[in-house]
Amino acid sequence: MEIEIPNSGLSKKIGAFPILFLLTRCFTVFCEQSILFFIPIYIYTITNKTATSGLSFIMEWLPSLILIPYAGVLLDKCKVKNSYFTIDFIRGIVVSLLFVFIYFKLNWLFVSSCSSILAIMSALSFVCQEKVLASKFSGNKFVKYQMLLQVFE
């Protein structure tokens, strides 16, 4: 696959792994961020209270903001492949639980707790992604793929 770099007159060939990694990452980030965006709106619709919606938003984002500085230390203790598998496995379980909680219209705290776990897994996933890029590519390739990933996201 060739990528045209704007204002440079260059086109670069990109291998199968980076394209698959970039597209998969773009898709999962889009889906996950959509879920995290709609959870406070859903909670507002079932409670009719903006305070509850705001509380769910805080429950969703505060743990991940606190965890991000420590995520690198946590992920350095595990292999990248195991980290990605574990994070994605947990995210799959949490999304399934969200579906069940929303389908059966359970208490908003269950839904908000799941979105909090999902946001934490998202933060860990972003740090794990940086680790993959740094370990797989070096020099100009690292910069190129990092730039492409930021554009996709």
Side-chain angles (χ1 to χ4, degrees), residues 14-129:
I14 298 178
F17 169 77
I19 288 299
L20 183 61
F21 180 74
L22 292 172
L23 290 176
T24 303
R25 191 69 193 135
C26 180
F27 177 73
T28 57
V29 167
F30 173 76
C31 293
E32 191 169 48
Q33 293 303 313
S34 296
I35 289 171
L36 294 174
F37 174 76
F38 288 115
I39 292 297
I41 295 170
Y42 169 74
I43 290 174
Y44 175 74
T45 60
I46 62 172
T47 63
N48 248 0
K49 296 179 182 175
T50 55
T52 309
S53 178
L55 184 61
S56 74
F57 185 77
I58 289 171
M59 286 175 64
E60 188 175 287
W61 286 105
L62 192 60
S64 64
L65 290 176
I66 292 170
L67 180 68
I68 284 180
Y70 306 106
V73 175
L74 289 170
L75 291 173
D76 280 342
K77 295 179 182 182
C78 303
K79 293 180 181 177
V80 176
K81 192 175 185 179
N82 293 342
S83 299
Y84 254 134
F85 176 77
T86 304
I87 290 167
D88 283 344
F89 183 74
I90 292 170
R91 289 188 331 190
I93 289 172
V94 170
V95 168
S96 300
L97 285 173
L98 270 171
F99 174 76
V100 169
F101 293 160
I102 290 171
Y103 183 78
F104 290 109
K105 297 183 174 135
L106 296 180
N107 191 332
W108 68 270
L109 282 171
F110 292 118
V111 175
S112 190
S113 297
C114 280
S115 69
S116 179
I117 295 168
L118 197 59
I120 289 169
M121 292 298 113
S122 178
L124 288 173
S125 182
F126 276 114
V127 174
C128 197
Q129 158 197 305

Side-chain angles (χ1 to χ4, degrees), residues 3-18:
I3 299 282
E4 186 74 30
I5 300 175
N7 301 328
S8 69
L10 299 173
S11 75
K12 301 277 182 176
K13 287 197 174 201
I14 298 178
F17 169 77

Side-chain angles (χ1 to χ4, degrees), residues 137-148:
F137 307 106
S138 62
N140 289 338
K141 278 190 173 188
F142 172 73
V143 172
K144 179 174 70 172
Y145 294 131
Q146 179 66 19
M147 179 189 71
L148 281 172

